[in-house]
Every structure is written in C-alpha cells, then in structure tokens.
C-alpha cells in the first residue's frame, strides 16, 4: 500500500490520478445489496443504479438484460452491532513466522488476502462482521505486515516474492491452519495470489471474490517496446543503489502514507490515524525495504487475464468505480471471462473497498459465499 501507486499504475508519479467515469443518474428504484441476496449469473446493469418494475418478484437479474452490477449505498447507515473477538496468532511456514488473525466458530471458511504493502489489519472492518456466520482468517503474506521478511538476496533464488510463493503460502495455510478448503476474498495484488493458489491446488479453493484486482500495468508485456528499457533501468536504479532506500524512507512517514491513502480512497474521511498506523508500522519493520525493492522489480509473472481462464472455482469480480490506480473501464474486461460469474460496481468507492466501504463489501461476501457454500 505504501507505494501502490508505483506497482499498480503505468506511471511512477505519486500524484493524484483521475479516471472520470460517467453514469446515468435517472432511476426509478435503487437496488441495494440487501435487495439481491442470491444474485446469479451476470446480474449487472450498465447504469450506476437500475430499475425493475417489481423487485420483490425476482431474486436475480439475468445477463440477458444487463452487463455489469451496481450496489446502492442506502445500506451505509445500517451498521451491524457485533461483539466477536478477533484473535491473533502466528504460524510457522517453512521456518518463517507468519502472522494471521481469526474469528468465528462455524460456517464456511474465508481467507482474506491483502494487497501490496498492506497486511491483515486492512480487514479489521470485515473480520468480526463476517465471523457472525463464517470462520474468518486474514493473513500477513510473507514479506508483509508482521510476518517474517527474509532478504531475497540472501536466499539465492530469483523472484522469491512472487505470486507462486504467496499462492503456495495461502494453500499451505488452508491445509495446516484451517484444515479445510476455503473461499478467498482478495484485494488488489492479493487477487493474483488467490487466483494463483486456486490454480496450484484447485481442491482447496471454493470460490474467489476479487476486489479491484491489480491490472499489473507495469508488467513488461503491457509496456510499449520503447518504454521497457527505461522502466527496467529505473527499477534497477531503485533496487541496486541507495536511491531505493532513500525513496522508501521518504514515503514511509505518516504524512506520506496518509497522502497516498487519500489518493486511493474516494471517501477520504475513512483515512484515519488508525488506518495510517496500521499500514505504516509494519513497513518500518526490519527487512521491509528489501521486500519493497524486490517487488518493484517484479515485472514478470502472471497477469489476471492469464490466470482467470485456468481457475475452476466460481469467481466474482467487484470494483470501486472511483479507483484512480486500477480504472474500472479496464477492469470491466474481466467480467467477460467464462469463469467470472458477475462483475459488481461499487459506487463512489476507491481502490480498497473492504476498508472504505465495508457496508457494501461484507453483504457482497456473504451473498457470494451463500450461493456456493453447498456446492
């Protein structure tokens, strides 16, 4: 998260990016997530909100009528009171200490997977709510949060911090800690982790919900041929000189983290001191700078469009329509894959919907899981 602006966008500038989206506001009836408890294949409209003559008579809206999905914000003030304790533990994975959080005693297992630079605390608004009817776990991927951060240069392997590494970690977590298959709920870069895990061991994944999955715009294949040497040179400069550590130090401050978060959160009131500290403090842990410098040079590896056709489980894609880093116009293409059952538009939400708009995301997770829990 600290410098998501670099890895998620084709620009390396940390200034605010604008991708204006125009929607029609002419509506007869707003449909909230609670109005569509068991939506199925392609219930999505092209307008921000949509109208139906008799909403009580249907449980879903067919793909023959619409192309994308929107969720109204009318449920924003309907806050659920929960008193479920979230516990923290560590897991030894291949000799490394991995932090995870968990709560809930019954129901399907969910694993919440954070994005680049974030950690399991980014799901603090989701864990206790989803735990009312699920067993919920959030994990710090190796290299992030309060999990160990081995120096990749000392390991003697190329691209240790890769989607294959994290995908294997996620699968082993299901086997060793949960002892069961699970649904993967993923944000940004975490979406590629979930997809990779589902491909490596499909028997462990019951379904994947992707929230603003990273488009990987700095991937080598997405750069014009004439720009590739420049990007590679810049990455090597950061990785192999003191410039990289200086740059990391300049963004690893409360002021810089808050500024970056205010870029990717449309509702900046959600960028609280608590959030800033949750993102910043693990980034000050020993080894964090090495992980950061390693990953910004990771311009290879899989793309979402390469992984999606290989997944066998149900996939739901949801997108905050005000995301400045991963524009929704490009994200919509993922809704066309046969493996993706729906594309859901989250109105007036940025890059991290689970934290900015949990009142939209939590019911969406519950609905998705309910549709596939008995399959």
């Amino acid at each position: 998260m600290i410098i998501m602006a670099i890895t998620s966008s084709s620009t390396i500038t940390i200034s605010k990016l604008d991708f204006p989206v125009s929607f029609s506001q002419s509506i007869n009836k707003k449909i909230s997530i609670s109005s569509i408890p068991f939506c199925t294949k392609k219930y999505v409209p092209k307008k921000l909100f949509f109208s139906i003559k008799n909403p009580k008579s249907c449980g879903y809206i067919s793909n023959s009528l619409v192309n994308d999905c929107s969720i109204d914000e009318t449920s924003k003030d309907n806050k659920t009171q929960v008193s479920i304790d979230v516990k923290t533990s560590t897991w030894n994975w291949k000799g490394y200490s991995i932090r995870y959080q968990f709560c809930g005693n019954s129901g399907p297992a969910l694993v919440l997977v954070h994005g680049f630079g974030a950690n399991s605390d980014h799901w603090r608004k989701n864990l206790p709510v989803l735990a009312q009817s699920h067993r919920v776990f959030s994990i710090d991927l190796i290299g992030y949060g309060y999990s160990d951060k081995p120096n990749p240069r000392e390991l003697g392997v190329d691209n240790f911090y890769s989607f294959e590494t994290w995908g294997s970690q996620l699968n082993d977590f299901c086997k060793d800690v949960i002892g069961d298959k699970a649904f993967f709920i993923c944000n940004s870069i975490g979406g590629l982790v979930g997809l990779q895990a589902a491909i490596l061991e499909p028997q462990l994944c019951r379904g994947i919900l992707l929230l603003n999955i990273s488009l990987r715009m700095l991937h080598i294949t997405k750069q014009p041929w004439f720009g590739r040497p420049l990007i590679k040179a810049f990455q090597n400069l950061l990785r192999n000189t003191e410039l990289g550590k200086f740059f990391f130090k300049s963004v690893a401050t409360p002021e810089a983290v808050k500024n970056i978060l205010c870029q990717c959160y449309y509702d900046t009131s959600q960028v609280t001191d608590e959030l800033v500290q949750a993102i910043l403090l693990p980034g000050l842990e020993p080894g964090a700078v090495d992980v950061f410098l390693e990953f910004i040079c990771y311009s290879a590896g899989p793309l979402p469009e390469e992984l999606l056709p290989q997944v066998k489980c149900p996939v739901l894609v949801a997108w905050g329509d005000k995301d400045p880093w991963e524009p929704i116009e490009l994200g919509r293409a993922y809704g066309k894959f046969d493996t993706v059952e729906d594309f859901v538009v989250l109105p007036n939400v940025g890059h991290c919907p689970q934290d900015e708009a949990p009142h939209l995301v939590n019911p969406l997770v519950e609905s998705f899981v309910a549709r596939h829990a008995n399959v």
Side-chain angles (χ1 to χ4, degrees), residues 31-39 43 69-75 344 359-365 367:
I31 304 300
S32 70
I33 185 81
S34 60
S35 304
I36 336 172
F38 295 100
C39 301
Y43 51 85
C69 180
S70 294
I71 297 177
D72 185 15
E73 294 188 85
T74 54
S75 61
V344 181
H359 60 285
L360 299 183
V361 171
N362 290 333
L364 185 64
V365 173
S367 176

Side-chain angles (χ1 to χ4, degrees), residues 31-52:
I31 304 300
S32 70
I33 185 81
S34 60
S35 304
I36 336 172
F38 295 100
C39 301
T40 56
K41 186 73 176 174
K42 303 292 183 189
Y43 51 85
V44 250
K46 292 184 177 178
K47 294 182 180 180
L48 182 59
F49 301 112
F50 53 90
S51 304
I52 55 179

Side-chain angles (χ1 to χ4, degrees), residues 291-366:
V291 177
F292 159 70
L293 295 176
E294 179 75 8
F295 191 74
I296 63 174
C297 294
Y298 184 46
S299 294
L303 294 165
E305 50 266 37
E306 296 171 339
L307 297 177
L308 279 168
Q310 303 178 58
V311 175
K312 305 301 182 184
C313 64
V315 179
L316 177 66
V317 179
W319 218 279
D321 67 347
K322 304 299 184 184
D323 188 340
W325 295 342
E326 314 288 358
I328 192 171
E329 283 78 8
L330 299 179
R332 289 179 191 276
Y334 296 140
K336 299 177 182 178
F337 283 83
D338 290 340
T339 51
V340 176
E341 65 174 27
D342 294 292
F343 185 92
V344 181
V345 176
L346 303 172
N348 298 318
V349 180
H351 184 67
C352 306
Q354 77 278 10
D355 187 66
E356 183 181 347
H359 60 285
L360 299 183
V361 171
N362 290 333
L364 185 64
V365 173
E366 292 168 345

